[in-house]
Structure formats: structure tokens, C-alpha cells
Amino acid sequence: MMRIRTLALFSPLLALLLLQSSLYGQESEIKQIHAQREASNKALKNFDEVLNNTFMTDDVLITTGAGTLLSGKAELIEYIKNAKGPKMYWIRTANEVIVNSELQLAWEEGIWEGYTEGAITPVVGGKYAAQWTKKSGTWLIQSQLFVTLPND
């Protein structure tokens, strides 16, 4: 009988410790994704496409703000190389990141802003969502969806 009471007393404590450990693990993963996003934003601002591509899987899927679907890094590179108009970069700012540790997947959503080279105010922007994967041991972007919305 004493064992049952002891177990009953310590079960909630054990559950709390496991939950806290899980939440700490989540926070660590979320911080890693934020760091990857920050580094990707910096690479884009410096027009370093080679570095920026290291933050994506080879088979990345990207839907541009105007609705063009790009499949893979090679297609993304061609799209950027053939872009008309002024040289631009994009900054993505996350509002939310949720991690599924079991599947090594994460959801990110936020706003994006597009700047022309040398500009201090964005000329275009909208909302975005991204799926991240950690199959390789490092969080990488597996897909991104951008939607251009009116500036308010």
C-alpha cells in the first residue's frame, strides 16, 4: 500500500519533469530555427545566393509572392538570375515557430518584406509560411510559401 501512495505522489512530479524537459527541447529547436532564419536573411541582404542555398534542402519547394512554383535549388537559382528589374533581397520575420520533435519537422509563419538594393524601406511584402526539416541533423527549409499583400 505504501508503494502505491509513493507512486501516486511522485507520478505528477515525474510527469511535470518530463513536460518541462520536452518544452526545453522545443525551445532549443526553435532557437536553432530562428538562428538559421537570421543567417539566411543576412545572406540574402548580402546577395550571397550560394550561402543562402545552404539553408534549404536540395528539393526545396518555393511559391513566390506572385504565385510561381519553383522546385529545387537549381530552379530557384535560375529564377533569381533571370529576374528583371532592380536587384532585390527579402527579409522574413517569424511570428510563430512550432516544432514536431518526433517527426523532425517544424512550421514557421510570419511576414516578409522585399527591398531594392540600398533601400531602407520595403517596396513589397506580405505573409509567408515555411516547413523545416531536420533529417540531416541541421534545420533546413523544405518548403516556403510567400503571398504578396497590399502595404498597409
Side-chain angles (χ1 to χ4, degrees):
M1 189 62 134
M2 182 67 161
R3 265 190 182 169
I4 294 173
R5 273 191 260 191
T6 303
L7 186 57
L9 287 173
F10 286 108
S11 290
L13 181 60
L14 181 59
L16 182 62
L17 289 173
L18 289 173
L19 177 62
Q20 186 177 10
S21 173
S22 174
L23 291 175
Y24 175 76
Q26 276 266 347
E27 285 302 312
S28 173
E29 300 293 332
I30 290 169
K31 284 181 183 177
Q32 290 174 35
I33 290 169
H34 281 294
Q36 287 286 85
R37 179 57 78 196
E38 187 177 322
S40 173
N41 282 341
K42 185 176 179 183
L44 286 170
K45 189 173 182 177
N46 291 326
F47 299 101
D48 188 342
E49 290 302 323
V50 173
L51 177 59
N52 186 56
N53 283 339
T54 66
F55 301 106
M56 295 179 265
T57 62
D58 289 335
D59 61 347
V60 67
L61 294 173
I62 297 175
T63 303
T64 68
T68 302
L69 176 61
L70 305 172
S71 181
K73 287 181 184 180
E75 197 169 325
L76 174 60
I77 291 167
E78 281 301 308
Y79 179 82
I80 292 170
K81 188 167 80 172
N82 295 324
K84 308 273 189 275
K87 198 171 180 181
M88 291 189 69
Y89 67 93
W90 298 264
I91 299 296
R92 289 79 34 100
T93 305
N95 291 328
E96 178 180 50
V97 175
I98 302 170
V99 174
N100 181 332
S101 299
E102 184 178 325
L103 296 178
Q104 296 293 278
L105 294 172
W107 159 266
E108 174 191 10
E109 69 85 18
I111 61 164
W112 67 274
E113 296 174 310
Y115 297 81
T116 56
E117 188 174 22
I120 58 172
T121 57
V123 295
V124 66
K127 301 261 184 183
Y128 79 93
Q131 178 182 5
W132 293 79
T133 182
K134 195 177 181 184
K135 292 177 188 166
S136 64
T138 301
W139 285 106
L140 297 175
I141 300 163
Q142 189 165 3
S143 64
Q144 295 188 105
L145 167 66
F146 297 91
V147 178
T148 302
L149 298 170
N151 291 339
D152 292 335

